[in-house]
């Protein structure tokens, strides 16, 4: 049950696009199309942004999109806005358990 | 409106036990798998345990296996986590979370609703 690997931080200017990677193994990301992404603002509970790899829950902006290639999943945020500044976590089913990434701090410059 | 209300946290000595509860409302509780996720102070998210809609499938993180027990009472719309042999490293904010898709085992599609969290502090 090793954590998924995410970059510690990413940054971008308003209006730009950024991508956060999430690298796992053939035991989790590579096998299951059950990757989800969460946004967490300080002091708040996480919010689901993408589920089952690329699906957006009702109410989530279409500026957020998810994809996967091999053992790596990605979250892309287009048209960056100030309110997107937060921590982002990926998550994947891993056979008999679920594993999160270490989190990525997004800074909007 | 979906609501998950976590409770039961507190300060406990190492080696002791604590039972967390999560009261659910606003959705058909017994249609959905439920999970516990924790977050140590200043750290990332860690999946702790999950239970399928009918309690037929249960899973635990290696870090808590053999010490924690997850259960649910569908008649009471409630989820529980019995935490035994607590350690300092179990100190965290514990969230209950609902799976997005119904009628699943513990292979979570995504956690679409979260409780507000209940803080567990393990210290002498």
């Amino acid at each position: 049950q090793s954590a998924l690997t995410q970059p510690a931080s990413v940054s971008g200017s308003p209006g730009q696009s950024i991508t956060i990677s999430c690298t796992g193994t053939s035991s989790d990301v590579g096998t299951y199309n059950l990757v989800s992404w969460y946004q967490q603002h300080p002091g708040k509970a996480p919010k689901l942004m993408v589920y089952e790899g690329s699906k957006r829950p009702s109410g989530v902006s279409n500026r957020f999109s998810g994809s996967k290639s091999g053992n790596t999943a990605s979250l892309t945020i287009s048209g960056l806005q100030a309110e997107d500044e937060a921590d982002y976590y990926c998550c994947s089913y891993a056979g008999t358990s679920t594993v999160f990434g270490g989190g990525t701090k997004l800074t909007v410059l | 409106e979906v609501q998950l209300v976590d409770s039961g946290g507190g300060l406990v000595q190492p080696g002791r036990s604590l039972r967390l509860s999560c009261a659910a409302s606003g959705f058909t509780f017994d249609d959905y798998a439920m999970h516990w996720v924790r977050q140590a102070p200043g750290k990332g998210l860690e999946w702790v345990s999950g239970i399928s809609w009918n309690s037929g499938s249960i899973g635990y993180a290696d870090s808590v296996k053999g010490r924690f027990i997850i259960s649910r009472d569908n008649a009471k719309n409630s989820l529980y986590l019995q935490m035994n042999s607590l350690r300092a490293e179990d100190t965290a904010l514990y969230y209950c979370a609902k799976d997005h898709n119904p009628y699943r085992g513990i292979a979570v599609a995504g956690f679409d609703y979260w409780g507000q969290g209940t803080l567990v502090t393990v210290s002498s």
Side-chain angles (χ1 to χ4, degrees), chain A residues 13-79:
Chain A
S13 299
Q16 287 186 331
S17 294
I18 63 95
T19 296
I20 300 172
S21 63
C22 170
T23 302
T25 68
S26 58
S27 297
D28 39 62
V29 174
T31 293
Y32 302 98
N33 198 27
L34 293 173
V35 174
S36 49
W37 289 90
Y38 303 87
Q39 176 192 68
Q40 188 179 34
H41 287 110
K44 300 294 187 181
K47 175 185 178 182
L48 179 65
M49 307 306 286
V50 170
Y51 69 101
E52 290 183 335
S54 60
K55 298 178 181 178
R56 272 188 309 276
S58 174
V60 171
S61 170
N62 59 9
R63 297 186 300 106
F64 293 84
S65 61
S67 62
K68 188 182 86 166
S69 177
N71 296 337
T72 298
S74 299
L75 175 71
T76 297
I77 309 174
S78 59

Side-chain angles (χ1 to χ4, degrees), chain B residues 40-107:
Chain B
K43 302 297 185 182
L45 301 172
E46 179 187 16
W47 178 81
V48 174
S49 182
I51 184 168
S52 62
W53 61 281
N54 63 355
S55 302
S57 180
I58 287 175
Y60 298 96
D62 287 345
S63 58
V64 307
K65 200 172 294 182
R67 300 187 299 123
F68 289 11
I69 301 171
I70 191 172
S71 62
R72 64 189 295 161
D73 185 336
N74 287 345
K76 295 183 177 180
N77 288 352
S78 293
L79 175 72
Y80 306 100
L81 186 68
Q82 177 67 40
M83 304 187 297
N84 302 321
S85 303
L86 282 162
R87 306 167 179 167
E89 54 264 37
D90 295 319
T91 294
L93 186 63
Y94 284 73
Y95 295 101
C96 71
K98 168 187 168 293
D99 194 356
H100 180 275
N101 292 358
Y103 304 120
R104 300 179 65 84
I106 60 169

